[in-house]
Amino acid sequence: MSNQILKYHRVLLKLSGEMLEDEQLNFSPHVAKVLANEVKQIYVMGAHIAIVVGGGNIFRGVSGSKQGLDPVTADYMGMHGTIINALGLMDIFEKSGMPTRVQSAFESDRVCEPVIRRRALRHLEKDRVVIYAAGTGNPGFTTDTAAALRAFEIGAEVLLKGTKVDGVYDCDPVHNPAAKRFESISCNEVIERKLQVMDSTAFTFCRDKKIPIIVFNLFTPGNLKAILEGKSVGTLVTVEP
Ligand code: UDP
């Protein structure tokens, strides 16, 4: 491992399920490989990397319940989707030269370890990537909230929300070409402007625990590495009062 000076030594990367899909597949090994190449660049710099993976590409509880499913059962279906993504990512990461362990918030002991904080910390210290599956393990939440909780639990210095867009905008950049991207914005301003950074439970938790969030485009080659080098990429959501 290199001893480069890093701005952040331990990071929690949130990957939504939709980041892992392509037109043909709801888990695309090809897309996962592209993302693994980005993560590998910070892995070789010696960063401690934990990932919370979503499951929206496979199943979302809200859509299931809108179609008549019991909402709690639908959420458990969604959480199982995150395990599918975590296993696929683990395989691709290991093939890319990054030893990786999956920890699940509920028992899935044929394929995952349980979430055990001290074991996760040990993995990070031994240069293993930790992928957290099954969200918080509780229906009614999202994997954004799991990302905030795990970031706190492992002492991550920043929560990196990898997306397909360049950051947080003042309005929807897809529908409004004049939309302006923030380089930096405070938590309070995000709330006042009702901007969507993460779901509100996750967001307020990060604010209260003083965990900054960077929203950035993970598909832009080199972005993740640049963040760890201290360059300004995407939008930094600051946590000062
Ligand atoms: N989910 C849940 N509890 C959690 C995390 C997730 O019940 O702690 C369920 C919920 O139904 C959600 C689905 O799992 O819709 C997939 O997670 P999420 O929507 O956060 O995935 P993403 O949008 O990040 O792909």
Side-chain angles (χ1 to χ4, degrees):
M1 289 292 148
S2 110
N3 282 325
Q4 279 177 264
I5 309 267
L6 301 180
K7 170 141 192 199
Y8 304 109
H9 297 87
R10 180 168 291 172
V11 298
L12 188 299
L13 176 65
K14 165 69 206 296
L15 280 182
S16 293
E18 65 166 19
M19 295 287 286
L20 299 168
E21 66 189 354
D22 64 14
E23 295 86 44
Q24 281 87 41
L25 292 168
N26 55 18
F27 176 88
S28 160
H30 168 71
V31 176
K33 178 89 182 82
V34 170
L35 298 180
N37 287 341
E38 295 305 308
V39 174
K40 181 85 187 268
Q41 292 178 38
I42 64 164
Y43 178 80
V44 296
M45 292 161 83
H48 289 181
I49 306 156
I51 296 178
V52 168
V53 67
N57 54 325
I58 295 169
F59 197 79
R60 274 184 208 286
V62 172
S63 344
S65 61
K66 272 191 195 144
Q67 293 176 65
L69 286 178
D70 166 61
V72 172
T73 303
D75 275 344
Y76 276 110
M77 293 168 71
M79 284 187 270
H80 276 88
T82 70
I83 297 179
I84 294 173
N85 285 333
L87 293 177
L89 264 189
M90 176 186 70
D91 188 58
I92 299 291
F93 273 43
E94 294 220 310
K95 288 187 166 78
S96 306
M98 293 179 281
T100 301
R101 300 292 183 269
V102 175
Q103 293 201 344
S104 170
F106 55 60
E107 276 176 33
S108 191
D109 53 9
R110 286 289 185 98
V111 285
C112 310
E113 297 176 0
V115 172
I116 298 176
R117 174 175 177 254
R118 287 169 62 100
R119 193 188 280 190
L121 294 175
R122 185 85 182 119
H123 289 323
L124 296 174
E125 279 153 16
K126 294 187 113 184
D127 296 322
R128 297 178 187 134
V129 176
V130 175
I131 299 179
Y132 287 110
T136 64
N138 301 295
F141 289 93
T142 69
T143 53
D144 277 353
T145 298
L149 292 171
R150 303 291 174 230
F152 176 59
E153 192 171 274
I154 63 165
E157 298 150 288
V158 65
L159 194 161
L160 301 174
K161 174 130 171 146
T163 70
K164 294 178 178 174
V165 292
D166 292 331
V168 181
Y169 285 77
D170 59 353
C171 56
D172 185 353
V174 176
H175 297 110
N176 188 346
K180 176 180 155 291
R181 180 178 65 83
F182 298 98
E183 257 188 43
S184 165
I185 186 168
S186 71
C187 278
N188 289 342
E189 198 174 350
V190 167
I191 293 167
E192 272 161 32
R193 288 174 173 258
K194 298 191 171 64
L195 300 173
Q196 290 300 312
V197 174
M198 296 196 299
D199 78 61
S200 59
T201 311
F203 185 71
T204 50
F205 185 87
C206 284
R207 183 193 61 186
D208 295 349
K209 300 297 179 197
K210 308 234 176 298
I211 302 166
I213 303 162
I214 297 176
V215 182
F216 71 106
N217 190 335
L218 182 55
F219 285 107
T220 304
N223 256 357
L224 182 58
K225 180 171 186 253
I227 289 172
L228 267 79
E229 289 170 339
K231 296 180 185 141
S232 171
V233 171
T235 299
L236 168 67
V237 184
T238 58
V239 287
E240 76 280 2

